[in-house]
Amino acid sequence: MDEQLKKMIDEVCCYPDGSLERQKALNRLLTVIQQLPGIYKSGHQDYLEALNLTWEWVSRKICAFEARWPSLQQSLVIWINGYLKWRIKDLYIPDSNYIISLDRLTRNDEGDETSLLNILPDPQSPTITLDLLDIKIAQIQENQRLSLGKRIREYIEQDEEGKLTASCLRKNPECHCQLLAMRLLIENPPHKISDIARELNISNQTLYSHWKNNCLPLLREIGINFGYE
């Protein structure tokens, strides 16, 4: 495997950035790398987002990778995991740019509609602390994120406008973005690209390219339309 990986990495790096030849070689390399044992896993609901960011980083930085003892394969996995773990760690850090208006309507513990200002502790109270405010706001942020995630999930599952199923491989219409989103993002545990490709009788490279170039941009657009940034 070390020899195969070295050959594939060398092939990617011999082509200029942005060239079609480099992209094809890179897709072949990523297809192999994604199947390597030892790639770090996480139970976080947005794990695949961190993983996709990692593959994008690998695509940009692969030529800077330096193999170390005991093997190229092991050092490559360690190198990838080093970045991936930081991206997963980011998922657990509250978004400091996510600002909530105190006048924004929400629901209290009884389910009644009210404003955030009304359910926060009295700022004049001697017992109020910034920690309490932070905790309450963090709880509301998390509830809103979960609600948004649920709405996006329902959109993917129903695909009433047909956008996801319409984005498919011309020679294999069964390989559409709704199926891939369900298998890779929603089902738990997520399926492997290689397993889906085998089931649909297409190559890993073809499926991965369709997912990366067509499905992910479409899903980002859908998320933005729902207010996800």
Side-chain angles (χ1 to χ4, degrees), residues 1 13 43 48 60 70 105 136 144 153 166 189 225-226:
M1 178 60 75
C13 299
L48 283 178
R60 297 192 305 270
L105 293 179
K136 192 64 180 179
Q144 290 176 342
R153 173 174 178 155
N225 289 339
F226 273 94

Side-chain angles (χ1 to χ4, degrees), residues 45-46 49 95 98 104 139-157 186 219-229:
Q45 62 181 7
D46 293 325
E49 178 182 339
D95 186 356
Y98 188 61
R104 184 172 181 174
Q139 290 173 343
I140 293 171
Q141 288 178 341
E142 181 61 20
N143 288 337
Q144 290 176 342
R145 290 179 189 274
L146 291 175
S147 175
L148 178 59
K150 181 180 179 181
R151 286 159 53 202
I152 294 176
R153 173 174 178 155
E154 290 175 349
Y155 181 94
I156 293 173
E157 291 174 340
I186 293 180
L219 290 169
R220 289 192 189 102
E221 178 186 332
I222 291 170
I224 291 172
N225 289 339
F226 273 94
Y228 185 85
E229 298 180 358

Side-chain angles (χ1 to χ4, degrees), residues 80-215:
I80 292 171
N81 285 344
Y83 183 88
L84 175 57
K85 288 178 181 179
W86 278 107
R87 297 290 69 79
I88 293 173
K89 186 177 180 181
D90 288 344
L91 298 176
Y92 291 92
I93 298 176
D95 186 356
S96 60
N97 295 322
Y98 188 61
I99 301 174
I100 293 181
S101 168
L102 295 180
D103 295 322
R104 184 172 181 174
L105 293 179
T106 184
R107 293 190 181 277
N108 58 22
D109 295 337
E110 288 74 36
D112 299 323
E113 195 172 72
T114 184
S115 70
L116 172 58
L117 183 62
N118 289 334
I119 63 175
L120 288 175
D122 181 2
Q124 301 301 321
S125 169
T127 61
I128 185 64
T129 67
L130 287 177
D131 286 343
L132 288 176
L133 285 171
D134 289 341
I135 291 171
K136 192 64 180 179
I137 290 175
Q139 290 173 343
I140 293 171
Q141 288 178 341
E142 181 61 20
N143 288 337
Q144 290 176 342
R145 290 179 189 274
L146 291 175
S147 175
L148 178 59
K150 181 180 179 181
R151 286 159 53 202
I152 294 176
R153 173 174 178 155
E154 290 175 349
Y155 181 94
I156 293 173
E157 291 174 340
Q158 298 170 9
D159 190 29
E160 293 180 351
E161 298 175 326
K163 289 184 178 180
L164 293 168
T165 51
S167 182
C168 61
L169 292 177
R170 183 167 54 86
K171 294 183 179 180
N172 194 330
E174 292 183 357
C175 183
H176 50 71
C177 291
Q178 185 197 33
L179 179 141
L180 296 181
M182 291 291 297
R183 297 283 189 90
L184 296 173
L185 299 179
I186 293 180
E187 293 185 10
N188 189 23
H191 293 228
K192 292 182 178 179
I193 283 182
S194 58
D195 292 339
I196 301 174
R198 189 180 307 110
E199 178 184 331
L200 298 177
N201 195 29
I202 57 179
S203 70
N204 292 352
Q205 178 184 339
T206 298
L207 191 148
Y208 176 77
S209 296
H210 178 52
W211 171 249
K212 179 180 179 181
N213 298 328
N214 299 312
C215 299

Side-chain angles (χ1 to χ4, degrees), residues 67-81:
R68 301 181 184 276
W69 187 88
S71 74
L72 186 151
Q73 177 180 331
Q74 291 184 35
S75 57
L76 179 60
V77 170
I78 292 172
W79 182 67
I80 292 171
N81 285 344

